[in-house]
Amino acid sequence: MSDFKVQLTDSQWRDKLSADEYRVLRQAGTERAFTGEYTDTKTVGVYRCRACDAELFRSTEKFESHCGWPSFFSPLAGDRVIERRDDSLGYVRTEVLCANCGSHLGHVFEGEGYDTPTDLRYCINSISLKLEPADGPSVY
Ligand SMILES: [Zn+2]
């Protein structure tokens, strides 16, 4: 785990992040369902990593999963995130990490029957993200 572009020591991360951000991003915590600021957000824009500012997700891939966390059916690009096996709860999940800094974002689930192009649900903590709203209708 030493090949990320952004490399900070543990104390540097603690200085940079709030206690809640640190707990999720650096200790793989999970914010409580339906408490995150982006759970139901429909604002058009790009979601960046709150730890390193890398662009990770777009509002165009966000969908209403009703699961209590912001959900995307795809990352902005496949190489923006890293997926790895997580059996910390006693069953297998797939953890999603920022490919730029290695911070924890959430988990990805598949085959749940959502009506999306991928049938994947990237279930991401709001606190791991920072929304950058698009500037009006002239984005493209
Ligand atoms: Zn990051």
Side-chain angles (χ1 to χ4, degrees):
M1 295 286 284
S2 59
D3 52 350
F4 296 112
K5 274 192 217 126
V6 174
Q7 300 271 351
L8 296 182
T9 65
D10 194 55
S11 67
Q12 286 173 320
W13 281 121
R14 285 182 189 275
D15 285 345
K16 182 177 169 66
L17 303 171
S18 74
D20 286 342
E21 290 167 354
Y22 180 86
R23 187 180 64 80
V24 173
L25 286 158
R26 305 307 305 175
Q27 298 186 307
T30 300
E31 69 192 11
R32 278 175 39 227
F34 300 102
T35 64
E37 64 180 301
Y38 301 133
T39 304
D40 297 316
T41 301
K42 294 189 175 68
T43 306
V44 173
V46 171
Y47 289 87
R48 294 176 179 270
C49 174
R50 195 173 293 203
C52 77
D53 283 338
E55 295 185 353
L56 299 177
F57 296 94
R58 282 181 303 214
S59 56
T60 41
E61 281 81 38
K62 194 171 188 288
F63 70 101
E64 290 187 63
S65 64
H66 308 288
C67 72
W69 293 275
S71 299
F72 304 85
F73 61 77
S74 168
L76 195 153
D79 61 0
R80 299 301 172 90
V81 299
I82 291 173
E83 298 176 12
R84 76 177 175 198
R85 181 189 164 100
D86 171 14
D87 51 16
S88 60
L89 290 186
Y91 56 93
V92 177
R93 294 179 297 169
T94 302
E95 182 184 11
V96 181
L97 306 168
C98 172
N100 196 48
C101 73
S103 291
H104 174 81
L105 304 173
H107 291 86
V108 59
F109 303 92
E110 65 178 323
E112 298 176 311
Y114 285 107
D115 184 19
T116 63
T118 62
D119 206 4
L120 294 172
R121 175 169 61 92
Y122 287 81
C123 180
I124 306 299
N125 292 284
S126 291
I127 205 168
S128 296
L129 300 172
K130 188 169 58 183
L131 173 60
E132 184 176 277
D135 294 318
S138 58
V139 191
Y140 303 110

